[in-house]
Amino acid sequence: MLGVFPGRAADQLAPVKLTAQQDHQRLMDLLHITALRPGKDGNRADAPNAANYDESKANPYPHLPDPLVLKNGKKVKTASVWWKRRRPEVVEDFDRRSMAASPSSRPK
């Protein structure tokens, strides 16, 4: 006889049944995590982890360049100036600052 369960080898154990809390604690122990960071507290504004509902504090880019001003300071007044001069400047800035900048010799 192979074991208690038909089709299962004698050295294999039955699957362990754990509650969600037990499984969570098991994974925390396996990953050596002692505590979880508390989430945002939306009920108390004076809490150290209070949720931010103030839009003036939420803007991570307060000094974005004006899209209708060329790098030399002149204003874009026509669509042709936008397409020929300013848009390439914006695209260049985006390519330079993006996570995966595209190479200059990329195929079209």
XYZ file of all heavy atoms in Angstrom:
850
model
N 0.849 -1.186 0.000
C 0.000 0.000 0.000
C 0.892 1.245 0.000
O 1.829 1.344 0.767
C -0.913 -0.056 1.217
C -1.864 1.071 1.301
S -3.083 0.665 2.548
C -4.325 1.738 2.056
N 0.562 2.222 -0.843
C 1.397 3.413 -0.976
C 1.214 4.401 0.167
O 2.119 5.099 0.528
C 1.098 4.113 -2.306
C 1.540 3.374 -3.555
C 1.075 4.128 -4.778
C 3.030 3.193 -3.572
N 0.063 4.518 0.683
C -0.173 5.482 1.745
C -1.640 5.586 2.026
O -2.458 4.794 1.549
N -1.979 6.575 2.784
C -3.368 6.763 3.180
C -4.201 7.215 1.990
O -5.347 6.828 1.840
C -3.463 7.775 4.337
C -4.902 7.984 4.740
C -2.631 7.313 5.506
N -3.620 8.050 1.125
C -4.358 8.593 -0.013
C -4.032 7.791 -1.268
O -2.864 7.564 -1.560
C -3.998 10.064 -0.225
C -4.310 10.918 0.961
C -3.299 11.351 1.806
C -5.609 11.291 1.239
C -3.582 12.129 2.891
C -5.895 12.075 2.332
C -4.884 12.497 3.169
N -5.038 7.359 -2.008
C -4.751 6.594 -3.219
C -4.026 7.460 -4.253
O -4.344 8.630 -4.426
C -6.139 6.187 -3.721
C -7.123 6.940 -2.936
C -6.429 7.533 -1.749
N -3.029 6.890 -4.892
C -2.288 7.610 -5.918
C -1.232 8.541 -5.361
O -0.593 9.279 -6.086
N -1.008 8.555 -4.074
C -0.042 9.455 -3.456
C 1.059 8.625 -2.802
O 0.774 7.633 -2.152
C -0.751 10.309 -2.409
C 0.136 11.354 -1.796
C -0.640 12.177 -0.837
N -1.612 12.953 -1.604
C -1.927 14.191 -1.368
N -1.404 14.804 -0.365
N -2.814 14.817 -2.092
N 2.298 9.022 -2.962
C 3.418 8.291 -2.374
C 3.375 8.410 -0.853
O 2.819 9.354 -0.294
C 4.736 8.844 -2.908
N 3.969 7.463 -0.183
C 3.923 7.413 1.282
C 4.664 8.588 1.909
O 4.323 9.012 3.009
C 4.507 6.092 1.777
N 5.694 9.136 1.216
C 6.467 10.229 1.810
C 5.819 11.597 1.599
O 6.294 12.589 2.133
C 7.889 10.237 1.261
C 7.929 10.411 -0.243
O 6.895 10.176 -0.901
O 8.998 10.779 -0.749
N 4.734 11.689 0.838
C 4.051 12.960 0.632
C 2.967 13.132 1.684
O 2.207 12.220 1.977
C 3.415 13.028 -0.754
C 4.430 13.154 -1.851
C 3.755 13.284 -3.211
O 2.622 12.852 -3.381
N 4.460 13.853 -4.156
N 2.905 14.337 2.245
C 1.914 14.646 3.260
C 0.698 15.303 2.632
O 0.774 15.880 1.545
C 2.516 15.581 4.314
C 3.728 15.034 5.074
C 4.290 16.111 5.972
C 3.349 13.803 5.859
N -0.381 15.235 3.348
C -1.601 15.906 2.894
C -1.392 17.409 2.966
O -0.614 17.903 3.781
C -2.769 15.492 3.778
N -2.058 18.194 2.100
C -1.910 19.642 2.154
C -2.371 20.190 3.501
O -3.313 19.695 4.102
C -2.793 20.156 1.022
C -3.545 18.996 0.500
C -2.969 17.757 1.073
N -1.672 21.207 3.961
C -1.987 21.819 5.250
C -3.119 22.810 5.048
O -3.104 23.616 4.117
C -0.742 22.533 5.821
C -1.066 23.209 7.132
C 0.388 21.542 5.986
N -4.097 22.770 5.913
C -5.216 23.710 5.850
C -4.942 24.814 6.860
O -4.841 24.561 8.054
C -6.521 23.003 6.193
C -6.803 21.825 5.302
C -8.045 22.036 4.520
C -8.307 20.770 3.726
N -8.908 20.986 2.504
N -4.799 26.045 6.373
C -4.518 27.185 7.234
C -5.609 28.230 7.077
O -6.173 28.403 5.998
C -3.179 27.833 6.858
C -1.929 26.975 6.984
C -0.734 27.720 6.438
C -1.697 26.582 8.421
N -5.859 28.974 8.143
C -6.758 30.114 8.030
C -6.000 31.242 7.345
O -4.772 31.180 7.190
C -7.230 30.580 9.416
O -6.095 31.059 10.142
C -7.921 29.462 10.183
N -6.699 32.275 6.954
C -6.051 33.413 6.301
C -5.029 34.052 7.232
O -3.927 34.424 6.810
C -7.089 34.435 5.865
N -5.356 34.176 8.518
C -4.423 34.769 9.481
C -3.185 33.904 9.654
O -2.068 34.416 9.709
C -5.099 34.952 10.838
C -5.906 36.219 10.946
C -6.445 36.395 12.358
O -6.883 35.437 12.977
N -6.410 37.618 12.832
N -3.376 32.604 9.732
C -2.238 31.710 9.892
C -1.334 31.756 8.661
O -0.106 31.781 8.776
C -2.721 30.281 10.136
C -3.369 30.071 11.481
C -4.044 28.707 11.570
O -4.501 28.163 10.556
N -4.120 28.164 12.784
N -1.926 31.763 7.470
C -1.142 31.829 6.247
C -0.390 33.151 6.151
O 0.782 33.191 5.759
C -2.052 31.638 5.034
C -1.272 31.517 3.749
O -0.244 30.800 3.749
O -1.672 32.130 2.745
N -1.045 34.235 6.533
C -0.396 35.551 6.527
C 0.794 35.553 7.480
O 1.887 36.011 7.126
C -1.413 36.626 6.921
C -0.837 37.996 6.937
N -0.417 38.605 8.094
C -0.604 38.886 5.935
C 0.056 39.802 7.812
N -0.056 39.993 6.508
N 0.611 35.044 8.676
C 1.698 35.016 9.652
C 2.835 34.107 9.181
O 4.009 34.423 9.346
C 1.184 34.558 11.022
C 2.224 34.672 12.117
C 2.718 36.101 12.289
O 1.926 37.032 12.397
N 4.026 36.279 12.299
N 2.487 32.982 8.547
C 3.505 32.080 8.009
C 4.358 32.776 6.966
O 5.593 32.677 6.980
C 2.816 30.847 7.405
C 3.757 29.826 6.844
C 2.956 28.640 6.261
N 3.653 28.077 5.144
C 3.627 28.510 3.888
N 2.884 29.528 3.558
N 4.326 27.929 2.943
N 3.727 33.514 6.058
C 4.482 34.247 5.037
C 5.320 35.360 5.651
O 6.457 35.593 5.239
C 3.529 34.814 3.985
C 2.974 33.792 3.009
C 1.924 34.422 2.112
C 4.084 33.201 2.187
N 4.767 36.039 6.638
C 5.535 37.094 7.330
C 6.789 36.483 7.963
O 7.878 37.063 7.878
C 4.679 37.766 8.399
C 3.490 38.526 7.880
S 3.836 40.227 7.510
C 4.097 40.887 9.121
N 6.637 35.328 8.598
C 7.778 34.657 9.229
C 8.799 34.201 8.185
O 10.008 34.369 8.377
C 7.304 33.462 10.065
C 6.469 33.883 11.261
O 6.536 35.066 11.665
O 5.717 33.025 11.778
N 8.319 33.647 7.074
C 9.232 33.198 6.022
C 10.027 34.347 5.423
O 11.188 34.196 5.055
C 8.455 32.481 4.911
C 7.950 31.076 5.233
C 7.017 30.593 4.134
C 9.110 30.123 5.406
N 9.409 35.508 5.319
C 10.062 36.685 4.730
C 10.776 37.551 5.761
O 11.314 38.606 5.422
C 9.020 37.519 3.969
C 8.379 36.820 2.771
C 7.231 37.648 2.231
C 9.412 36.565 1.698
N 10.749 37.116 7.023
C 11.391 37.845 8.122
C 10.850 39.266 8.253
O 11.595 40.213 8.472
C 12.916 37.875 7.956
C 13.512 36.513 7.810
N 13.584 35.613 8.855
C 14.047 35.867 6.739
C 14.146 34.494 8.442
N 14.429 34.622 7.148
N 9.550 39.417 8.098
C 8.884 40.706 8.273
C 8.281 40.713 9.668
O 7.473 39.855 10.004
C 7.789 40.919 7.205
C 8.409 40.911 5.818
C 7.028 42.211 7.471
C 7.396 40.936 4.699
N 8.696 41.683 10.479
C 8.210 41.716 11.859
C 6.951 42.558 12.016
O 6.145 42.300 12.893
C 9.290 42.258 12.802
O 9.700 43.551 12.335
C 10.500 41.326 12.813
N 6.785 43.583 11.178
C 5.597 44.438 11.287
C 5.300 45.049 9.929
O 6.203 45.268 9.123
C 5.824 45.539 12.310
N 4.037 45.329 9.698
C 3.631 45.999 8.465
C 3.482 47.484 8.725
O 3.084 47.901 9.820
C 2.299 45.430 7.966
C 2.322 43.988 7.499
C 0.918 43.548 7.118
C 3.261 43.813 6.334
N 3.806 48.277 7.733
C 3.645 49.721 7.850
C 2.162 50.045 7.847
O 1.409 49.542 7.009
C 4.340 50.404 6.679
C 4.267 51.911 6.719
C 4.995 52.509 5.561
N 4.421 51.999 4.316
C 5.043 52.034 3.157
N 6.249 52.514 3.061
N 4.469 51.570 2.071
N 1.686 50.877 8.778
C 0.261 51.201 8.794
C -0.131 52.024 7.567
O 0.648 52.830 7.064
C 0.074 52.007 10.075
C 1.427 52.542 10.391
C 2.417 51.556 9.846
N -1.339 51.808 7.103
C -1.843 52.563 5.963
C -2.251 53.965 6.361
O -2.105 54.385 7.518
N -2.760 54.713 5.423
C -3.186 56.085 5.685
C -4.424 56.105 6.576
O -5.325 55.304 6.410
C -3.478 56.821 4.382
C -2.272 56.970 3.510
C -1.239 57.833 4.169
C -0.006 57.988 3.314
N 1.076 58.635 4.004
N -4.449 57.039 7.511
C -5.582 57.209 8.426
C -6.463 58.325 7.866
O -6.097 59.495 7.931
C -5.075 57.557 9.821
C -6.181 57.601 10.845
O -7.358 57.527 10.452
O -5.874 57.699 12.042
N -7.597 57.958 7.318
C -8.495 58.950 6.744
C -9.451 59.561 7.749
O -10.217 60.455 7.407
N -9.403 59.106 9.003
C -10.341 59.600 10.006
C -9.781 60.726 10.862
O -10.529 61.570 11.345
C -10.793 58.448 10.920
C -11.547 57.392 10.156
O -12.291 57.705 9.234
N -11.333 56.135 10.504
N -8.472 60.749 11.075
C -7.880 61.769 11.944
C -6.856 62.575 11.157
O -5.871 62.033 10.668
C -7.200 61.112 13.149
C -8.162 60.357 14.045
C -7.461 59.740 15.241
N -6.236 59.068 14.814
C -5.123 59.016 15.545
N -5.069 59.593 16.715
N -4.060 58.377 15.098
N -7.067 63.862 11.075
C -6.146 64.728 10.340
C -4.846 64.944 11.105
O -3.823 65.291 10.509
C -6.801 66.075 10.052
N -4.844 64.753 12.424
C -3.643 64.978 13.226
C -2.796 63.704 13.380
O -1.762 63.721 14.048
C -4.014 65.521 14.607
C -4.920 64.561 15.383
O -5.612 63.758 14.747
O -4.925 64.654 16.624
N -3.204 62.620 12.773
C -2.448 61.371 12.871
C -1.133 61.502 12.092
O -1.060 62.219 11.092
C -3.273 60.213 12.318
N -0.072 60.815 12.528
C 1.192 60.901 11.791
C 1.111 60.311 10.381
O 1.889 60.667 9.517
C 2.180 60.120 12.663
C 1.356 59.317 13.590
C 0.026 59.995 13.723
N 0.154 59.422 10.166
C -0.040 58.827 8.845
C -1.378 59.266 8.248
O -2.061 58.497 7.602
C 0.036 57.305 8.930
C -1.021 56.724 9.852
O -1.502 57.390 10.750
N -1.372 55.479 9.637
N -1.716 60.526 8.448
C -2.999 61.050 7.973
C -3.040 61.058 6.452
O -2.030 61.279 5.783
C -3.218 62.461 8.510
N -4.215 60.812 5.903
C -4.405 60.866 4.459
C -4.340 62.321 3.996
O -4.759 63.231 4.714
C -5.750 60.256 4.081
N -3.796 62.547 2.823
C -3.646 63.895 2.299
C -4.806 64.204 1.358
O -4.907 63.637 0.277
C -2.323 64.025 1.549
C -2.155 65.388 0.931
O -2.764 66.347 1.359
N -1.331 65.474 -0.081
N -5.666 65.120 1.780
C -6.765 65.569 0.921
C -6.549 66.997 0.444
O -7.391 67.561 -0.229
C -8.098 65.470 1.667
C -8.481 64.052 1.993
C -8.571 63.607 3.302
C -8.739 63.135 0.983
C -8.915 62.310 3.600
C -9.075 61.829 1.267
C -9.175 61.420 2.575
O -9.502 60.128 2.862
N -5.415 67.597 0.792
C -5.109 68.967 0.412
C -4.362 68.933 -0.921
O -3.219 68.486 -1.006
C -4.253 69.629 1.485
C -3.989 71.096 1.199
O -4.496 71.617 0.181
O -3.285 71.729 2.010
N -4.997 69.400 -1.993
C -4.389 69.324 -3.317
C -3.131 70.168 -3.444
O -2.271 69.869 -4.264
C -5.403 69.729 -4.382
C -6.493 68.699 -4.573
C -7.390 69.011 -5.751
O -6.974 69.782 -6.636
O -8.502 68.474 -5.786
N -2.989 71.221 -2.637
C -1.780 72.038 -2.724
C -0.551 71.260 -2.271
O 0.563 71.561 -2.678
C -1.936 73.307 -1.896
O -1.993 72.992 -0.513
N -0.731 70.237 -1.437
C 0.384 69.414 -0.985
C 0.650 68.240 -1.924
O 1.674 67.592 -1.831
C 0.088 68.844 0.402
C 0.006 69.873 1.485
C -0.314 69.177 2.790
C -0.494 70.158 3.917
N -0.874 69.464 5.162
N -0.273 67.946 -2.810
C -0.186 66.753 -3.634
C 0.570 66.947 -4.937
O 0.881 65.980 -5.597
C -1.593 66.249 -3.945
N 0.878 68.153 -5.345
C 1.513 68.391 -6.637
C 3.009 68.114 -6.542
O 3.761 68.914 -6.013
C 1.265 69.826 -7.084
C 1.760 70.076 -8.481
O 2.291 69.191 -9.136
N 1.587 71.288 -8.963
N 3.492 66.984 -7.082
C 4.916 66.687 -6.996
C 5.764 67.455 -8.012
O 6.976 67.421 -7.931
C 4.977 65.188 -7.259
C 3.815 64.924 -8.137
C 2.747 65.909 -7.713
N 5.154 68.122 -8.982
C 5.893 68.860 -10.007
C 5.422 70.313 -10.042
O 4.742 70.730 -10.972
C 5.690 68.218 -11.384
C 6.025 66.761 -11.394
C 5.025 65.803 -11.432
C 7.340 66.338 -11.343
C 5.334 64.457 -11.428
C 7.659 64.994 -11.337
C 6.654 64.066 -11.382
O 6.950 62.742 -11.382
N 5.772 71.105 -9.056
C 5.239 72.475 -9.000
C 5.835 73.417 -10.035
O 5.276 74.450 -10.311
C 5.581 72.925 -7.589
C 6.767 72.117 -7.212
C 6.613 70.800 -7.913
N 6.971 73.068 -10.621
C 7.636 73.999 -11.540
C 7.783 73.395 -12.932
O 8.891 73.247 -13.453
C 9.015 74.395 -10.993
C 8.954 74.998 -9.640
N 8.382 76.221 -9.390
C 9.367 74.530 -8.446
C 8.457 76.479 -8.106
N 9.048 75.470 -7.504
N 6.666 73.034 -13.551
C 6.717 72.523 -14.914
C 6.965 73.678 -15.882
O 6.450 74.776 -15.687
C 5.406 71.835 -15.275
C 5.152 70.497 -14.606
C 3.752 70.003 -14.942
C 6.182 69.481 -15.013
N 7.749 73.445 -16.925
C 7.991 74.522 -17.885
C 6.734 74.841 -18.684
O 5.895 73.976 -18.913
C 9.086 73.957 -18.786
C 8.973 72.487 -18.642
C 8.463 72.227 -17.261
N 6.626 76.090 -19.088
C 5.492 76.522 -19.907
C 5.621 75.876 -21.284
O 6.641 76.050 -21.960
C 5.481 78.041 -20.029
C 4.245 78.578 -20.724
O 3.484 77.772 -21.297
O 4.048 79.799 -20.686
N 4.624 75.130 -21.742
C 4.752 74.456 -23.036
C 4.731 75.416 -24.222
O 5.121 75.035 -25.316
C 3.550 73.519 -23.075
C 2.572 74.100 -22.131
C 3.365 74.806 -21.087
N 4.305 76.662 -24.017
C 4.234 77.616 -25.123
C 5.336 78.660 -25.058
O 5.198 79.763 -25.600
C 2.861 78.282 -25.149
C 1.700 77.324 -25.428
C 0.378 78.064 -25.373
C 1.876 76.627 -26.753
N 6.452 78.321 -24.413
C 7.624 79.198 -24.379
C 8.829 78.370 -24.797
O 9.104 77.314 -24.225
C 7.843 79.797 -22.972
C 9.126 80.615 -22.929
C 6.665 80.651 -22.565
N 9.560 78.864 -25.817
C 10.750 78.165 -26.286
C 11.839 78.198 -25.214
O 11.792 79.008 -24.284
C 11.268 78.812 -27.570
C 10.342 78.734 -28.783
C 10.839 79.657 -29.885
C 10.258 77.312 -29.285
N 12.842 77.353 -25.354
C 13.926 77.317 -24.374
C 14.718 78.619 -24.346
O 15.328 78.949 -23.333
C 14.858 76.147 -24.654
C 14.251 74.831 -24.254
C 15.274 73.737 -24.304
C 14.657 72.455 -23.792
N 15.608 71.374 -23.703
N 14.695 79.365 -25.443
C 15.398 80.646 -25.455
C 14.551 81.781 -24.864
O 14.981 82.918 -24.830
C 15.857 80.999 -26.873
C 14.698 81.192 -27.834
O 13.534 81.230 -27.447
N 15.032 81.297 -29.114
N 13.327 81.469 -24.407
C 12.479 82.458 -23.744
C 11.431 83.100 -24.636
O 10.552 83.800 -24.139
N 11.499 82.904 -25.943
C 10.514 83.492 -26.850
C 9.222 82.696 -26.796
O 9.233 81.479 -26.643
C 11.046 83.522 -28.278
C 12.222 84.450 -28.463
C 12.650 84.480 -29.905
C 13.833 85.414 -30.088
N 14.296 85.434 -31.473
N 8.079 83.388 -26.948
C 6.777 82.733 -26.904
C 6.446 82.089 -28.247
O 6.818 82.590 -29.298
C 5.687 83.736 -26.542
C 5.806 84.210 -25.122
C 4.547 84.905 -24.679
C 4.725 85.272 -23.224
N 3.571 85.027 -22.446
N 5.737 80.959 -28.172
C 5.256 80.285 -29.371
C 3.986 81.008 -29.803
O 3.015 81.068 -29.059
C 4.959 78.798 -29.071
C 4.334 78.128 -30.284
C 6.214 78.083 -28.643
N 4.010 81.558 -31.011
C 2.859 82.342 -31.475
C 2.097 81.693 -32.612
O 0.969 82.066 -32.885
C 3.326 83.737 -31.897
C 3.882 84.534 -30.729
C 4.275 85.920 -31.156
C 4.826 86.686 -29.959
N 5.225 88.035 -30.301
N 2.704 80.726 -33.277
C 2.029 80.079 -34.398
C 2.152 78.559 -34.275
O 3.033 78.043 -33.579
C 2.638 80.507 -35.753
O 3.989 80.049 -35.807
C 2.589 82.016 -35.940
N 1.277 77.877 -34.987
C 1.310 76.420 -34.983
C 2.595 75.895 -35.625
O 3.149 74.886 -35.188
C 0.099 75.862 -35.712
N 3.077 76.594 -36.648
C 4.298 76.118 -37.307
C 5.502 76.209 -36.374
O 6.364 75.326 -36.380
C 4.558 76.887 -38.601
O 4.828 78.240 -38.317
N 5.562 77.248 -35.537
C 6.650 77.359 -34.553
C 6.529 76.222 -33.535
O 7.527 75.628 -33.125
C 6.637 78.735 -33.852
C 7.621 78.777 -32.701
C 6.948 79.841 -34.845
N 5.297 75.898 -33.136
C 5.103 74.790 -32.205
C 5.625 73.487 -32.799
O 6.402 72.769 -32.183
C 3.622 74.655 -31.830
C 3.314 73.323 -31.210
C 2.731 72.261 -31.810
C 3.623 72.911 -29.873
N 2.643 71.197 -30.936
C 3.192 71.579 -29.731
C 4.224 73.535 -28.786
C 3.327 70.858 -28.564
C 4.361 72.826 -27.608
C 3.917 71.496 -27.507
N 5.185 73.171 -34.040
C 5.545 71.890 -34.637
C 7.016 71.816 -35.025
O 7.627 70.758 -34.933
C 4.676 71.607 -35.868
C 3.298 71.196 -35.472
C 2.167 71.958 -35.538
C 2.895 69.958 -34.920
N 1.094 71.273 -35.057
C 1.514 70.021 -34.661
C 3.567 68.783 -34.601
C 0.789 68.972 -34.119
C 2.850 67.734 -34.064
C 1.466 67.831 -33.823
N 7.609 72.911 -35.466
C 8.992 72.878 -35.939
C 10.024 73.087 -34.833
O 11.135 72.570 -34.928
C 9.201 73.935 -37.021
C 8.462 73.618 -38.297
C 8.650 74.712 -39.323
C 7.845 74.394 -40.568
N 7.840 75.497 -41.511
N 9.669 73.850 -33.776
C 10.684 74.196 -32.773
C 10.336 73.723 -31.368
O 11.133 73.043 -30.726
C 10.917 75.697 -32.787
C 11.497 76.139 -34.139
C 11.910 77.575 -34.196
N 12.823 77.922 -33.127
C 13.003 79.178 -32.711
N 12.357 80.154 -33.282
N 13.849 79.431 -31.745
N 9.137 74.104 -30.858
C 8.844 73.806 -29.453
C 8.537 72.333 -29.207
O 9.020 71.751 -28.236
C 7.683 74.672 -28.946
C 7.354 74.451 -27.492
C 8.531 74.762 -26.581
N 8.188 74.500 -25.190
C 9.027 74.012 -24.288
N 10.268 73.753 -24.615
N 8.636 73.797 -23.064
N 7.757 71.703 -30.043
C 7.423 70.302 -29.827
C 8.671 69.421 -29.823
O 8.807 68.562 -28.952
C 6.424 69.811 -30.866
C 5.948 68.395 -30.578
C 4.898 67.952 -31.568
N 4.379 66.646 -31.239
C 4.997 65.505 -31.504
N 6.166 65.521 -32.130
N 4.456 64.356 -31.162
N 9.623 69.608 -30.753
C 10.853 68.818 -30.657
C 11.614 69.042 -29.344
O 12.224 68.116 -28.816
C 11.682 69.269 -31.862
C 10.675 69.764 -32.837
C 9.574 70.366 -32.019
N 11.558 70.266 -28.792
C 12.194 70.518 -27.492
C 11.510 69.707 -26.390
O 12.180 69.112 -25.539
C 12.126 72.011 -27.142
C 12.984 72.905 -27.981
C 12.804 74.379 -27.650
O 11.897 74.724 -26.862
O 13.593 75.178 -28.178
N 10.179 69.680 -26.418
C 9.421 68.938 -25.408
C 9.710 67.446 -25.532
O 9.942 66.755 -24.529
C 7.913 69.229 -25.530
C 7.109 68.324 -24.623
C 7.623 70.686 -25.217
N 9.718 66.935 -26.759
C 9.993 65.519 -26.987
C 11.409 65.166 -26.520
O 11.631 64.130 -25.881
C 9.788 65.151 -28.479
C 10.312 63.763 -28.791
C 8.325 65.269 -28.841
N 12.363 66.032 -26.800
C 13.749 65.797 -26.364
C 13.838 65.741 -24.841
O 14.474 64.857 -24.272
C 14.660 66.895 -26.900
C 16.099 66.748 -26.433
C 16.942 67.965 -26.798
O 16.492 68.809 -27.594
O 18.055 68.054 -26.262
N 13.174 66.684 -24.165
C 13.172 66.680 -22.701
C 12.534 65.401 -22.160
O 13.030 64.806 -21.205
C 12.426 67.898 -22.158
C 13.212 69.180 -22.321
O 14.431 69.106 -22.585
O 12.606 70.254 -22.192
N 11.430 65.002 -22.761
C 10.754 63.781 -22.318
C 11.650 62.565 -22.507
O 11.784 61.730 -21.617
C 9.440 63.596 -23.065
C 8.716 62.340 -22.668
C 7.991 62.291 -21.492
C 8.798 61.212 -23.457
C 7.334 61.128 -21.112
C 8.146 60.046 -23.086
C 7.413 60.005 -21.909
N 12.269 62.451 -23.676
C 13.145 61.307 -23.951
C 14.332 61.281 -22.989
O 14.747 60.218 -22.534
C 13.656 61.340 -25.386
C 12.613 60.906 -26.393
O 11.592 60.321 -25.965
O 12.813 61.164 -27.594
N 14.883 62.441 -22.676
C 16.046 62.508 -21.795
C 15.685 62.152 -20.362
O 16.461 61.550 -19.645
C 16.644 63.915 -21.846
C 17.984 63.994 -21.172
C 18.762 65.279 -21.425
N 18.103 66.284 -22.220
C 17.520 67.380 -21.730
N 17.500 67.594 -20.440
N 16.969 68.272 -22.525
N 14.468 62.499 -19.936
C 14.094 62.300 -18.536
C 13.256 61.057 -18.292
O 12.958 60.739 -17.156
C 13.330 63.527 -18.048
C 14.211 64.741 -17.978
C 13.500 65.892 -17.323
N 14.383 67.029 -17.230
C 14.169 68.190 -17.792
N 13.079 68.382 -18.492
N 15.025 69.169 -17.647
N 12.850 60.365 -19.334
C 12.020 59.183 -19.124
C 12.882 58.020 -18.655
O 14.100 58.014 -18.789
C 11.261 58.816 -20.393
O 12.170 58.411 -21.383
N 12.232 57.005 -18.100
C 12.940 55.861 -17.537
C 13.715 55.091 -18.605
O 14.813 54.652 -18.375
C 11.944 54.930 -16.852
C 11.270 55.555 -15.669
S 12.406 55.822 -14.331
C 12.276 54.259 -13.526
N 13.122 54.905 -19.744
C 13.785 54.152 -20.808
C 13.937 55.056 -22.020
O 13.108 55.077 -22.907
C 12.969 52.920 -21.160
N 14.995 55.812 -22.043
C 15.217 56.725 -23.158
C 15.503 55.926 -24.419
O 16.217 54.925 -24.396
C 16.386 57.653 -22.851
N 14.930 56.365 -25.517
C 15.139 55.650 -26.771
C 16.469 56.083 -27.382
O 16.863 57.246 -27.287
C 13.989 55.922 -27.729
O 13.847 57.295 -27.924
N 17.175 55.180 -28.034
C 18.463 55.527 -28.636
C 18.281 56.462 -29.820
O 17.247 56.451 -30.486
C 19.037 54.182 -29.078
C 17.868 53.289 -29.185
C 16.848 53.787 -28.208
N 19.296 57.245 -30.104
C 19.204 58.213 -31.192
C 19.194 57.520 -32.556
O 18.713 58.086 -33.534
C 20.348 59.218 -31.122
O 21.577 58.528 -31.199
N 19.730 56.311 -32.660
C 19.796 55.610 -33.947
C 18.731 54.523 -34.046
O 18.983 53.443 -34.548
C 21.182 54.993 -34.117
O 21.414 54.054 -33.086
N 17.530 54.792 -33.543
C 16.465 53.794 -33.582
C 15.842 53.728 -34.974
O 15.758 54.729 -35.677
C 15.406 54.116 -32.547
C 14.602 55.345 -32.836
C 13.556 55.571 -31.754
N 12.745 56.714 -32.074
C 12.963 57.932 -31.637
N 13.974 58.168 -30.830
N 12.189 58.924 -31.983
N 15.410 52.530 -35.380
C 14.775 52.416 -36.704
C 13.385 53.058 -36.693
O 12.731 53.093 -35.675
C 14.672 50.909 -36.923
C 14.757 50.323 -35.560
C 15.548 51.271 -34.718
N 12.983 53.571 -37.845
C 11.672 54.225 -37.922
C 10.608 53.276 -38.367
O 10.737 52.315 -38.954
C 11.740 55.421 -38.838
C 12.638 56.463 -38.254
C 12.426 57.791 -38.921
C 13.344 58.793 -38.245
N 12.861 60.063 -38.130
